[in-house]
Amino acid sequence: MSERQDFIKGRKPITFVDLFAGAGGISEGFMQAYTDTKYYDFVLASDINDNCELTHRVRYNKQMGLKTDFLTEDIMSPTFLDNLLEKIGNREIDVVTGGPSCQSFSLSGRRKRFDKRDGLFNHYLKVIRALRPKYFVMENVKGLLTKDKGRFKVEIMREMRSIIDDRAIESFFEFANRLLQKSTSRFLSNAYLLKLNMEIIGNEEDATNHKEHFFDLLEERLRTVTRQIDYKISKSNVYINTIRHGLTLLRRNEQREQITSAVINEKTVSNIDNDLFADKINNFIATFSDEEITASIISAFEDVEELKQAGTDSEELKHAIQLYSLSLDECIEELGKFAETVQMKQEFDNVIEKIRLYNVEQIVLLSSDYGVPQNRERVVFIGSRNDQKPILEIPATVKPNERVCVYEALHDLDFIGNGETCTRYKKAHEHPEWQHLIQQRHVDGVVADDDNAKKYSEWSREGRFTHRFTFDCSPFYVKNASELEGKLHLDNAELFNHQTSAQNDDVRRRLKVIAEYGGYTDGCKIELKRLGLESNKRNYFVLKAEGQSPTVVTMPDDFIHYSQFRAMTVREMARLQSFDDSFVFQGKRQTGGEKRKSEIPQYTLVGNAVPPLMARAIGNEILKHIK
């Protein structure tokens, strides 16, 4: 065991689980975080990809000597939650972190409607409901806030707020029953209570029974309404049939979900997007949603004059039908409206504060505010259980005018040539014009000149874990899990993942022209065409030595080195993300085309990661607040 006992002594372990762990950016940051009285105990990580597990096992099991477990399984698998709970055992989990795949709503790519990956969020919340941690953190791209004109963010907040505290259920239903009896009809009161039971009752069988009673109630009211109009119209009118058949469709939600899940899966597998099939398939999927079915039913009411004449019975039926597609949070909002009409708002607020298990805050973070040499914006949703202090912000650790720049992060790695692999640190190229940019800093990026301060490059080389670990073994690299078990790994190097591709003369000339223009501008493209050096790539970013990098991506040739006119190495990208040099990215360096989705090479591991120093700041803030 390499964990230092003098660090652990007197500190309480705070357990955490990292879902969608990827390379381990959040894990790395949380393991760096600590206070005088607390530190993180890394229980388990999970991801769907074998190379993520391989990278984790080398880092946390081999180097750090931890017993951290790893679950390699799709979170949407029907066995995932059971397997997760089995691995966790009887341990209480204090914090859950995770970032469901952001590709389907990233600002940097074309968004896909009804992308299968959007469902990952709901499965993430299933884990939260099962583990009920004191805090949970969901990280994602800032573009999530504007997806579907902000509707997606609203739905996310509603679902998070709909996680309920079991201890308050009885008092909630007692209040709801009193409120509804005082404020509405018996029919609507029964409809609301059945709907609330559907949403709140944890037992699936009981929830299904409440759903069946709910639709029995609606169909009985529909029969009451149709008895008031001409028999022939009630049986053959297309709009009344839409209402009747629509209720049947709503009732059969499991069957609809099976159909749409299969269609969405086929759409994903067949890569249906930006073609003549996409809109037709999307429209079919939309037609089967609760919202679309409900909208068609309500519209049908407006097209039958006889239904309008049915008065209260018809209006209450419409209200109850619309109730079905609401989330628990929306149902609670409706109860709030009733409470206002009967002067029960104060009691309502008190009851709702107790029934909601989590307070949720949405916070936009800029990674360069936390000592990361990169302007990567991310949104984090932090859920604080109702017995914990809410976290309203993650205070910046670095002033805007003191942010770590690209040159600080990379200057000592500037010794590699074209098509070269370096496994030792060497003397770097000197750039006197930028030397003044290098500053002494604390680990979190704060500029300082005391004994605890080092250069960013020194922190990267020496590591940010010396306070907690004496590694069981030196860093090493393996291609796959069988090499790890067979110990056929490279263990005589001091530097890893620092390799450049062998670029031909035309590529190097192209990158030089782009660098000289300061970017892939229109003027640059004209010059490249004149020289016969055009490129089909949409983006090239020339790193500026004195500034921060843009968001690190998974494509190495998108970035051009600030002085060498070449693509970046994995290690350089990792420095821009704030990974220690001792963190070795395992497996293949890169792959092409569709393989990149399934194999998760080193560049993808780096590009998709949460910057550890930003995660460290989040982790520290939770440690300060957690009881």
Side-chain angles (χ1 to χ4, degrees):
M1 175 62 121
S2 60
E3 201 160 20
R4 290 175 48 173
Q5 294 306 301
D6 60 336
F7 172 80
I8 295 175
K9 186 177 180 180
R11 289 189 171 92
K12 178 181 174 61
I14 302 299
T15 56
F16 85 99
V17 165
D18 188 9
L19 305 177
F20 307 98
I26 290 182
S27 309
E28 192 79 354
F30 270 54
M31 291 298 287
Q32 291 177 24
Y34 68 98
T35 66
D36 290 340
T37 57
K38 295 185 280 283
Y39 70 99
Y40 282 107
D41 176 11
F42 191 7
V43 174
L44 178 143
S46 176
D47 204 286
I48 194 174
N49 187 263
D50 290 335
N51 200 32
C52 296
E53 177 178 0
L54 180 62
T55 298
H56 266 256
R57 291 208 179 282
V58 170
R59 180 62 166 174
Y60 300 110
N61 300 142
K62 299 296 184 181
Q63 285 182 252
M64 293 186 180
L66 299 173
K67 295 181 179 179
T68 303
D69 213 335
F70 199 99
L71 175 59
T72 305
E73 187 176 3
D74 187 343
I75 197 172
M76 294 195 290
S77 163
T79 61
F80 178 87
L81 188 54
D82 287 341
N83 291 335
L84 179 76
L85 295 175
E86 182 180 353
K87 283 182 176 291
I88 290 172
N90 59 4
R91 286 171 292 185
E92 180 182 352
I93 301 302
D94 296 312
V95 181
V96 174
T97 65
S101 175
C102 62
Q103 282 179 272
S104 61
F105 39 85
S106 172
L107 287 175
S108 61
R110 185 168 59 250
R111 303 178 190 186
K112 297 182 180 180
R113 188 181 177 202
F114 295 111
D115 192 296
K116 182 181 177 184
R117 287 163 295 195
D118 281 358
L120 294 172
F121 163 71
N122 292 317
H123 290 271
Y124 176 70
L125 285 195
K126 284 183 181 179
V127 176
I128 303 302
R129 288 186 173 98
L131 297 181
R132 297 181 176 252
K134 294 174 181 174
Y135 290 91
F136 69 82
V137 179
M138 192 186 86
E139 173 271 346
N140 233 299
V141 293
K142 188 182 176 184
L144 179 148
L145 300 180
T146 54
K147 179 179 169 63
D148 292 341
K149 298 181 179 179
R151 178 176 175 272
F152 198 78
K153 182 202 75 172
V154 171
E155 292 303 316
I156 282 177
M157 294 293 284
R158 287 193 186 283
E159 289 299 318
M160 288 178 174
R161 288 198 298 258
S162 293
I163 301 174
I164 56 97
D165 189 339
D166 293 340
R167 298 168 300 179
I169 289 177
E170 186 176 344
S171 59
F172 170 77
F173 273 110
E174 186 276 328
F175 169 78
N177 193 31
R178 281 194 294 111
L179 171 63
L180 290 165
Q181 285 184 5
K182 191 174 181 180
S183 58
T184 190
S185 70
R186 182 177 178 182
F187 168 77
L188 278 181
S189 177
N190 288 338
Y192 267 95
L193 290 172
L194 287 167
K195 169 63 177 176
L196 290 169
N197 271 285
M198 271 189 269
E199 294 295 324
I200 289 176
I201 299 302
N203 183 289
E204 288 296 323
E205 183 178 351
D206 288 345
T208 299
N209 287 336
H210 286 300
K211 185 197 76 173
E212 292 301 315
H213 290 319
F214 178 84
F215 281 103
D216 288 344
L217 181 72
L218 266 56
E219 290 177 354
E220 177 58 36
R221 174 53 65 94
L222 179 60
R223 285 192 288 272
T224 299
V225 170
T226 54
R227 288 191 197 107
Q228 302 176 38
I229 63 179
D230 182 84
Y231 179 81
K232 184 176 180 181
I233 293 175
S234 72
K235 294 298 181 183
S236 61
N237 183 278
V238 65
Y239 299 111
I240 294 179
N241 280 339
T242 296
I243 297 169
R244 185 177 289 116
H245 301 162
L247 288 178
T248 303
L249 278 174
L250 287 177
R251 185 194 285 257
R252 292 172 58 82
N253 65 301
E254 290 183 5
Q255 291 81 359
R256 285 186 290 117
E257 285 175 6
Q258 290 174 4
I259 293 169
T260 54
S261 177
V263 174
I264 291 171
N265 185 64
E266 183 57 38
K267 177 174 178 277
T268 302
V269 171
S270 299
N271 199 29
I272 301 299
D273 185 45
N274 193 31
D275 52 40
L276 296 178
F277 302 109
D279 286 345
K280 294 178 181 178
I281 293 176
N282 288 342
N283 290 335
F284 172 79
I285 297 169
T287 301
F288 262 35
S289 70
D290 288 347
E291 292 80 7
E292 288 291 328
I293 294 170
T294 300
S296 296
I297 293 173
I298 300 305
S299 176
F301 270 94
E302 303 303 316
D303 290 302
V304 182
E305 193 62 36
E306 290 84 350
L307 290 180
K308 296 178 183 178
Q309 296 172 5
T312 302
D313 287 345
S314 181
E315 287 302 312
E316 286 188 346
L317 177 58
K318 285 165 59 178
H319 188 140
I321 291 170
Q322 289 171 311
L323 185 61
Y324 178 70
S325 62
L326 300 185
S327 66
L328 174 59
D329 194 60
E330 290 170 311
C331 290
I332 289 173
E333 285 182 6
E334 292 299 308
L335 291 182
K337 296 174 185 177
F338 287 136
E340 286 185 347
T341 64
V342 293
Q343 287 76 52
M344 294 176 67
K345 187 66 167 60
Q346 184 61 55
E347 187 179 0
F348 167 82
D349 290 340
N350 293 337
V351 169
I352 298 311
E353 185 177 350
K354 294 176 182 177
I355 191 70
R356 284 182 172 142
L357 187 59
Y358 289 98
N359 299 301
V360 183
E361 291 294 330
Q362 161 208 311
I363 310 170
V364 176
L365 304 180
L366 179 65
S367 60
S368 56
D369 285 338
Y370 306 98
V372 183
Q374 176 191 176
N375 285 324
R376 186 187 194 100
E377 278 193 308
R378 284 295 184 269
V379 61
V380 293
F381 296 87
I382 300 182
S384 311
R385 206 169 68 189
N386 56 20
D387 61 343
Q388 302 293 315
K389 294 180 180 179
I391 293 177
L392 307 179
E393 63 172 343
I394 308 298
T397 59
V398 180
K399 298 176 183 177
N401 63 337
E402 294 181 345
R403 289 171 177 157
V404 181
C405 69
V406 167
Y407 187 74
E408 282 188 88
L410 304 182
H411 71 95
D412 65 314
L413 296 176
D414 190 7
F415 50 72
I416 194 168
N418 185 48
E420 186 179 358
T421 299
C422 292
T423 59
R424 289 274 184 270
Y425 294 103
K426 295 189 284 187
K427 181 176 173 57
H429 298 295
E430 294 185 1
H431 295 280
E433 70 274 28
W434 294 320
Q435 283 299 113
H436 70 281
L437 298 172
I438 300 175
Q439 303 189 72
Q440 298 286 115
R441 301 176 178 272
H442 287 163
V443 65
D444 57 5
V446 174
V447 175
D449 59 1
D450 55 42
D451 292 341
N452 295 320
K454 301 176 185 177
K455 300 173 185 175
Y456 182 93
S457 57
E458 290 173 342
W459 282 113
S460 299
R461 286 195 188 201
E462 297 171 22
R464 298 172 173 90
F465 283 105
T466 53
H467 65 285
R468 180 171 177 179
F469 292 98
T470 302
F471 286 165
D472 277 358
C473 65
S474 299
F476 64 87
Y477 166 78
V478 289
K479 291 181 180 178
N480 50 50
S482 61
E483 283 194 5
L484 177 61
E485 298 307 319
K487 303 184 185 301
L488 298 174
H489 48 74
L490 176 63
D491 57 5
N492 61 347
E494 65 175 1
L495 177 62
F496 295 85
N497 305 125
H498 200 38
Q499 176 183 351
T500 56
S501 300
Q503 296 175 320
N504 62 39
D505 289 343
D506 281 350
V507 171
R508 296 168 72 184
R509 287 174 61 209
R510 179 188 300 126
L511 297 184
K512 184 177 180 181
V513 171
I514 296 170
E516 288 172 346
Y517 270 83
Y520 200 40
T521 62
D522 289 341
C524 174
K525 293 175 184 178
I526 293 171
E527 179 65 9
L528 289 174
K529 186 173 182 178
R530 186 185 71 80
L531 296 171
L533 298 172
E534 309 99 304
S535 172
N536 291 325
K537 280 182 63 62
R538 290 185 297 172
N539 296 310
Y540 286 100
F541 298 101
V542 182
L543 293 177
K544 307 297 183 185
E546 65 277 14
Q548 290 73 45
S549 83
T551 298
V552 168
V553 293
T554 59
M555 302 293 291
D557 50 354
D558 278 8
F559 280 9
I560 301 175
H561 190 275
Y562 59 87
S563 69
Q564 297 301 313
F565 313 133
R566 58 165 174 81
M568 306 289 287
T569 69
V570 171
R571 180 50 52 202
E572 287 170 326
M573 291 294 219
R575 283 275 189 98
L576 296 178
Q577 284 275 59
S578 73
F579 280 97
D580 289 354
D581 287 4
S582 61
F583 191 108
V584 182
F585 296 87
Q586 308 296 333
K588 294 182 178 179
R589 178 168 163 266
Q590 64 184 116
T591 56
E594 291 297 309
K595 286 186 177 181
R596 191 180 295 110
K597 298 178 182 178
S598 58
E599 293 183 343
I600 315 294
Q602 295 168 16
Y603 277 108
T604 303
L605 285 174
V606 177
N608 286 342
V610 175
L613 283 182
M614 187 167 78
R616 182 182 189 274
I618 298 169
N620 271 330
E621 200 63 20
I622 292 174
L623 289 181
K624 292 174 186 176
H625 285 72
I626 198 167
K627 298 178 185 177

